[in-house]
Amino acid sequence: MTRHTIAVLPGDGIGPEVTAEAVRVLRVAGEVFGFDIDTESYAVGAAGVAEAGDSLPERTRDGVVAADAILMGAVGDPALADAPGRRRPEAGLLALRKLLGAYANLRPVAVHPALRHASPLRPEALAGVDLLIVRELTGGLYYGEPRGRTATEAVNTLRYSVAEIERVTRVAFEAARRRRSAVTSVDKANVLEVSQLWRETVTRVARDYPDVRLDHLYVDFAAMRLVANPAMVDVLLTENLFGDILSDEAAVLAGSLGLLPSASLGDGPGLFEPVHGSAPDIAGRGVANPIGAIASAAMLLRYGLKEEAAAAAVDDAIGATLDDGVRTADLARSGERAVGTREMGDAIVSRIRALRGAQPALTR
Ligand code: NAD
């Protein structure tokens, strides 16, 4: 039987609570679809500082590079917000992404029909929203040199090479092939030379994917489309800064941060984590929504382990659970009963197990 090794980094705050449910889901998916999941836990963030005085301890570094994929919870502790260097929890996350060479960040945003009321947009504007943002993660303005400031002037540098654009473009087109086969590339080619190179390179790479439709949007228009007509977008491909902004804009469509997963892919094993942070305001109470972490486990199965059938089953189980009206506190409308983190995990696990009875041929 295939055996997959997963490094689990629960992290801080609600991280351990939601990660526990995601690990349970991975194990059950393995049972149902016929593969073994081996997990080993490692400290990151404030938990790493407590364990080894470092937000990304040596033991964690060694463990993640040896794993097939990494499942993370969240990092962050208000008590360490101003800690220096590697003692700041968020520094551990940045160091982790760097260590893994994770250059493509994938953030799917789908609006479940029963949750359209939770978004600030009109419910009818949300029908059919199911998009994936692919953001370049290791280049652009956030890393370009020279950078610096004096009292009266500051400079940052926007720089991209063809090789950097090409590799993230391929991630977007490969992802589009598993979806609705459309890529919207976002740039500012009417003003920026870097964007002109971006557009030329994306257009050239697209010739290798004749089955995928490509269109280009300027970033200002893309920002409008995400709220005016988000269902038109399948895969949205963009550079680091634009992606940072547009992915947070798109997150609002879903209605709760607690629902959203992400994947960071690159040269090493992939990193899969919910979009939300450590939520210190609700940590330790067992009320956090684990769906973002569980949907991250589905991405881990899909992109990290190539277990597509298991990934689809986890996504379907999440959808069925929401169809059946199960709600954590962040999703419940007034008067609706809210379940805790564990109960939401139970509900999703039982729906994955139900597949075994329904479709024994799925096991291989
Ligand atoms: P946050 O995402 O932790 O929380 C924002 C709000 O959303 C809070 O009210 C919280 O209760 C709620 N929320 C978040 N996840 C939820 C869930 N699963 N279920 C229900 N409600 C949920 O953002 P923040 O409060 O700005 O940051 C808290 C800490 O997390 C900070 O230290 C920050 O630096 C860190 N952070 C880490 C990451 C990460 O690990 N990737 C991302 C963002 C923030």
Side-chain angles (χ1 to χ4, degrees):
M1 192 158 22
T2 315
R3 179 172 290 271
H4 300 295
T5 306
I6 311 298
V8 180
L9 279 56
D12 310 321
I14 62 169
E17 300 167 40
V18 296
T19 311
E21 300 311 310
V23 167
R24 221 148 59 90
V25 161
L26 283 175
R27 287 197 198 293
V28 171
E31 279 169 35
V32 173
F33 289 89
F35 54 86
D36 272 338
I37 293 281
D38 273 348
T39 61
E40 185 73 47
S41 285
Y42 300 95
V44 69
V49 175
E51 182 186 279
D54 185 341
S55 54
L56 189 66
E58 195 67 41
R59 178 174 169 276
T60 306
R61 293 179 155 262
D62 294 344
V64 295
V65 293
D68 294 322
I70 300 145
L71 179 70
M72 210 189 82
V75 297
D77 178 348
L80 291 173
D82 300 318
R86 291 274 286 270
R87 291 183 66 84
R88 210 170 61 82
E90 292 77 6
L93 180 55
L94 295 182
L96 180 61
R97 287 178 179 155
K98 192 166 177 201
L99 176 72
L100 297 172
Y103 57 77
N105 183 242
L106 278 62
R107 278 211 208 176
V109 178
V111 181
H112 191 276
L115 297 180
R116 283 185 203 150
H117 68 275
S119 164
L121 266 69
R122 278 179 291 110
E124 56 273 25
L126 295 165
V129 171
D130 180 5
L131 59 91
L132 173 70
I133 297 195
V134 178
R135 164 190 171 194
E136 202 291 328
L137 202 57
T138 53
L141 206 56
Y142 293 1
Y143 295 94
E145 297 284 348
R147 63 187 298 160
R149 57 170 295 179
T150 65
T152 53
E153 212 179 27
V155 64
N156 288 98
T157 301
L158 177 59
R159 184 191 305 275
Y160 267 109
S161 70
V162 167
E164 284 174 313
I165 301 167
E166 256 184 40
R167 62 186 186 177
V168 71
T169 299
R170 290 195 186 280
V171 171
F173 276 83
E174 294 293 335
R177 277 187 165 163
R178 302 169 192 220
R179 298 172 46 91
R180 302 196 304 278
S181 294
V183 170
T184 299
S185 176
V186 171
D187 61 41
K188 190 71 184 166
N190 49 344
V191 179
L192 300 173
E193 284 79 1
V194 173
S195 281
Q196 290 159 10
L197 184 71
W198 181 277
R199 194 173 277 223
E200 273 166 38
T201 307
V202 171
T203 304
R204 183 168 42 73
V205 172
R207 289 189 202 119
D208 294 342
Y209 301 85
D211 49 321
V212 178
R213 286 186 313 283
L214 169 66
D215 68 335
H216 302 273
L217 291 184
Y218 295 136
V219 62
D220 36 2
F221 191 74
M224 286 196 286
R225 177 163 295 177
L226 279 178
V227 285
N229 209 339
M232 276 183 78
V233 182
D234 180 14
V235 175
L236 188 155
L237 163 67
T238 192
E239 58 96 73
N240 203 345
L241 171 67
F242 297 160
D244 193 0
I245 298 165
L246 294 180
S247 58
D248 274 14
E249 184 190 359
V252 173
L253 303 173
S256 170
L257 260 183
L259 291 167
L260 296 171
S262 80
S264 300
L265 309 178
D267 305 324
L271 172 66
F272 302 86
E273 52 175 324
V275 164
H276 62 74
S278 59
D281 53 336
I282 57 167
R285 295 182 12 216
V287 299
N289 186 347
I291 290 182
I294 293 171
S296 301
M299 293 189 85
L300 184 154
L301 291 166
R302 174 169 294 121
Y303 294 101
L305 307 182
K306 314 284 181 238
E307 297 282 2
E308 176 57 38
V314 175
D315 284 337
D316 288 350
I318 293 171
T321 304
L322 292 171
D323 280 344
D324 293 344
V326 184
R327 301 281 183 269
T328 40
D330 55 317
L331 303 176
R333 302 169 97 152
S334 68
E336 268 180 343
R337 188 177 97 81
V339 302
T341 311
R342 177 82 194 181
E343 225 175 320
M344 179 58 95
D346 286 344
I348 293 169
V349 160
S350 70
R351 283 161 182 80
I352 299 170
R353 281 199 200 282
L355 282 170
R356 179 164 31 195
Q359 291 169 283
L362 285 175
T363 308
R364 58 165 174 75

